Amino acid sequence: MESLYKFFENNSLYIVLVINLLIWFGIFFFMQRVEKKLTKLEKEIKSE
Amino acid sequence: MTKNKIYQYLLLVLMILVISLSFLPKIALDPKSFFEFPLIPGLEDKARIIFFHVPTALITVIAYLISMAYGIKFLRKNNMEDDIKSVSAASLGLMFCILATITGSVWAKFNWGSFWHWDPRETSIFILLLIYGAYFALRSAIENPEKRAKLSSVYSIIAFLTTPFFIFIMPRMMIGLHPGSLEIDAQSGQIVKSANTVIEFKMAPNMRVVFFLSMFTFTMLYFWMWNLTSRFLILKNKISSSKE
């Protein structure tokens, strides 16, 4: 763990990489959730 | 796994690849491998921003083009769904336009000295913000849905006719800070075409791969966002019309 912290302290650019990837995962899984809810609702409306 | 899920997971993987490839390669004076970007004095590590800032501007143009295409489709067939797709494309385009302006402004602060210079490209993206802001002002001013759809379709056509000029032509015709604009040659004092034109695109080959991959991936992301917003608005329209 300590060596990982030391690595990020000396190469701070990779902190930006990790944050960027985290943001992307957040956006992606949010959009997948929206898609699931939308398809469920569309099926419901269609079956009425 | 359905076809759509395959595309979604492909987008996930591609974006992870784009983000990793923009941060992992080191910047070197004399790049020897694929994983080394050339050092541009003054830019150094900030060069990586190009992989995120330029795609937002590209998506703006693509979104506005799609808004015009569905505007034309609505005028031909009078199907409200086409108008809904046109609005959702324009609203996503406006969002990416705002993002392009803000990311460019922040980058400009650290590379050119201040947040805003009225550089030709900065001015033209600002004008596009105004043009498409006016599109939404127009829409909110009309009550009748059919009339609103007709007028905004016509406006989206006129608005997109100006867009290629503002994004591709005007910045290359004037002296400016962005690469691709005209420059004043240091020795002769004459106005010359920039060394970095569209045709002799002078980005390093490994950077070019990541650059085009990033533009493709953001385009995929845009189409998914447009698909979701269109379906949502169409559904909302269906529900509210069935309630009446």
Side-chain angles (χ1 to χ4, degrees), chain B residues 53-119:
Chain B
H53 168 64
V54 177
T56 54
L58 175 74
I59 299 306
T60 307
V61 179
I62 292 177
Y64 291 161
L65 172 67
I66 298 217
S67 176
M68 177 182 85
Y70 278 86
I72 294 174
K73 209 167 168 215
F74 171 80
L75 289 172
R76 296 181 69 210
K77 299 201 174 140
N78 251 306
N79 183 356
M80 276 312 272
E81 274 192 20
D82 291 329
D83 173 62
I84 291 174
K85 287 183 183 167
S86 178
V87 196
S88 58
S91 76
L92 280 172
L94 185 62
M95 183 193 88
F96 278 100
C97 196
I98 294 171
L99 281 177
T101 313
I102 297 177
T103 54
S105 177
V106 172
W107 193 3
K109 171 66 179 169
F110 292 101
N111 252 117
W112 297 337
S114 74
F115 287 107
W116 198 257
H117 298 80
W118 298 109
D119 168 77

Side-chain angles (χ1 to χ4, degrees), chain B residues 107-134:
Chain B
W107 193 3
K109 171 66 179 169
F110 292 101
N111 252 117
W112 297 337
S114 74
F115 287 107
W116 198 257
H117 298 80
W118 298 109
D119 168 77
R121 221 177 259 283
E122 287 176 344
T123 309
S124 55
I125 202 82
F126 177 69
I127 295 175
L128 276 178
L129 275 178
L130 293 178
I131 291 176
Y132 280 89

Side-chain angles (χ1 to χ4, degrees), chain B residues 3-235:
Chain B
K3 198 172 89 168
N4 285 330
K5 279 251 153 136
I6 294 176
Y7 283 134
Q8 288 166 24
Y9 284 116
L10 176 66
L11 171 65
L12 175 70
V13 169
L14 275 179
M15 190 62 103
I16 292 174
L17 191 63
V18 164
I19 295 174
S20 311
L21 280 179
S22 39
F23 285 103
L24 287 175
K26 294 193 197 296
I27 304 239
L29 212 59
D30 185 19
K32 289 196 181 66
S33 72
F34 182 86
F35 290 101
E36 282 182 349
F37 288 156
L39 172 75
I40 301 164
L43 258 185
E44 300 124 19
D45 263 311
K46 294 179 285 240
R48 304 176 195 273
I49 303 174
I50 206 171
F51 301 123
F52 301 99
H53 168 64
V54 177
T56 54
L58 175 74
I59 299 306
T60 307
V61 179
I62 292 177
Y64 291 161
L65 172 67
I66 298 217
S67 176
M68 177 182 85
Y70 278 86
I72 294 174
K73 209 167 168 215
F74 171 80
L75 289 172
R76 296 181 69 210
K77 299 201 174 140
N78 251 306
N79 183 356
M80 276 312 272
E81 274 192 20
D82 291 329
D83 173 62
I84 291 174
K85 287 183 183 167
S86 178
V87 196
S88 58
S91 76
L92 280 172
L94 185 62
M95 183 193 88
F96 278 100
C97 196
I98 294 171
L99 281 177
T101 313
I102 297 177
T103 54
S105 177
V106 172
W107 193 3
K109 171 66 179 169
F110 292 101
N111 252 117
W112 297 337
S114 74
F115 287 107
W116 198 257
H117 298 80
W118 298 109
D119 168 77
R121 221 177 259 283
E122 287 176 344
T123 309
S124 55
I125 202 82
F126 177 69
I127 295 175
L128 276 178
L129 275 178
L130 293 178
I131 291 176
Y132 280 89
Y135 172 90
F136 288 100
L138 174 70
R139 279 194 76 93
S140 65
I142 306 171
E143 296 275 338
N144 181 319
E146 281 84 25
K147 196 168 167 217
R148 179 172 58 210
K150 262 209 173 82
L151 280 174
S152 36
S153 299
V154 173
Y155 188 91
S156 72
I157 296 171
I158 299 171
F160 187 73
L161 291 176
T162 66
T163 305
F165 171 76
F166 281 124
I167 297 266
F168 298 115
I169 301 175
M170 188 183 108
R172 299 200 160 90
M173 280 168 37
M174 302 171 67
I175 300 175
L177 293 159
H178 271 90
S181 309
L182 300 182
E183 295 162 350
I184 298 181
D185 187 34
Q187 284 122 6
S188 61
Q190 304 272 333
I191 299 175
V192 290
K193 250 201 297 207
S194 155
N196 214 347
T197 59
V198 182
I199 300 171
E200 302 134 28
F201 189 46
K202 276 207 189 127
M203 200 183 259
N206 54 346
M207 275 182 88
R208 235 180 287 174
V209 169
V210 186
F211 186 61
F212 289 123
L213 187 66
S214 151
M215 294 208 283
F216 176 75
T217 309
F218 271 90
T219 309
M220 268 184 94
L221 174 63
Y222 162 73
F223 276 106
W224 190 20
M225 285 175 143
W226 175 55
N227 179 276
L228 287 179
T229 49
S230 302
R231 280 160 58 196
F232 169 71
L233 288 173
I234 290 172
L235 204 59

Side-chain angles (χ1 to χ4, degrees), chain A residues 20 24 28 32 35 39 42, chain B residues 8 15-16 23 224 231:
Chain A
N20 206 335
W24 168 239
F28 180 81
Q32 267 211 322
E35 169 105 49
T39 38
E42 278 173 337
Chain B
Q8 288 166 24
M15 190 62 103
I16 292 174
F23 285 103
W224 190 20
R231 280 160 58 196

